[in-house]
Amino acid sequence: MRASGKAASGGRFLTIKDVPVAGRRALVRVDYNVPLDGDRIVDATRIRASLPTINYLIEGGAAVILMSHLGRPKGRRDPRMSLRPVAATLAVLLDRPVRFVADALGAEAAAATAALQPGEVALLENVRFYPGDEANDSEMAAALAKHGDLYVNDAFGAAHRAHASTCGVADHLPAVGGLLMERELDVLGGLLASPQRPFVVVLGGAKVVDKLGVVSALIERCDVLALGGGMANTFLAAQSCELGRSLVERSLVERAAALLTAAQRRGVAVLLPQDLVLAGQARTGVPTLVAGSDDVPADLAAYDIGPATMVAVADAIATAATVFWNGTMGVYEVPEFARGTAAIARAIAAATRRGAVTVAAGGDSLAAVAAAGLEEGFSHLSTGGGAALELLEGKVLPGVACLDTGPAGRP
Ligand code: ADP
Ligand code: MG
């Protein structure tokens, strides 16, 4: 069955629930780009997030062939980035055997996946061991497509990449979204389409250049925009604060100023840090000092939001019906500068408890949520950092645009 169009044309994509799966070989792109310590998986969140789709396909009578990238092997086989340990963890989580196929291409891999029976699961080796994946090479896409007769993209975290395994493969097979892809698009798309108000956005992190697009897009949607972390410094500089040795991107100060003006025109309340935690360097054991944002000594740098700012942002969150958070409020890796981030995570968890819709995205932000033991305190923790931000910026995600739409696709 070939559906009638591609999601690129604006239609809602089909999911595995819209197509027959019994007796089919489902080639599923997942995001198993997990943190490894040797061959130990430090955090299996991304593997867990793939289980609903895999279980749905198994129960529906499909054979499941999984493919993913891991790390940046740059087109060459690198045993440190093998998916073999992931197959072992997945087998435990699924409570059934997972056949690890030590190649993603080639005759042996093809034979292994051709022999797979309904209800069986195989995981191919890292697709980025081949240069054709990131190059979105059409021959690589065609070769991958031979493993299945239905393509399922459940790799939301890689959906902003136009690679052979995320996107090119959809030229050769019927292509639908998995359950994780559907949930991510529903939740994040919902923030753009119809957020319950007040909608409070909290953005932090180090690199302001990564965040200008999302600031610009969310100014059009939110009621309160709270900025923290290193990126807030550039906005403070736009308000003529002298910030000593803090990270400030001088070349972006003018754009930051323009965004502040745009926010004001839209009636969005912008919360910039009123006070900051300062030190000579971001290292554990250093002496720290709290100062007003317009009172930073020349030889110190800001590494966290101060206590007055924590209260102001938490107060805003306390009024919110919807919260989106990305980017830590400080150098959370160093305990001295982790308090602001932890305070914001706790404030959001409290908002969730009283019924607010709360969403966090980003590798470091989610690591901070986990470190605070607050994973259950959010309505949704996105598995995609870059993909989530690009979606909220209004960009088309190639891994979604390549999926089929059809008569069964909901608008
Ligand atoms: P995410 O991974 O959640 O998208 P980011 O990568 O954007 O978050 O931001 C987290 C990073 O920002 C951390 O490595 C943290 O150390 C850094 N950071 C936050 N605040 C500052 C600051 N004031 N100065 C320098 N680095 C900062
Ligand atoms: Mg990060």
Side-chain angles (χ1 to χ4, degrees), residues 390-397:
E390 290 201 16
L391 181 68
L392 293 175
E393 277 177 54
K395 290 189 183 162
V396 171
L397 303 182

Side-chain angles (χ1 to χ4, degrees), residues 332 342 365-375:
Y332 78 105
S365 305
L366 266 52
V369 169
L374 290 172
E375 288 109 320

Side-chain angles (χ1 to χ4, degrees), residues 224-247:
V224 179
L225 174 63
L227 302 180
M231 59 105 66
N233 297 339
T234 300
F235 287 84
L236 288 170
Q239 299 204 324
S240 306
C241 291
E242 298 289 341
L243 291 158
R245 294 179 40 240
S246 307
L247 185 73

Side-chain angles (χ1 to χ4, degrees), residues 344-364:
I344 291 336
R346 280 195 303 273
I348 297 175
T352 314
R353 283 196 294 277
R354 55 165 185 71
V357 172
T358 57
V359 181
D364 290 293

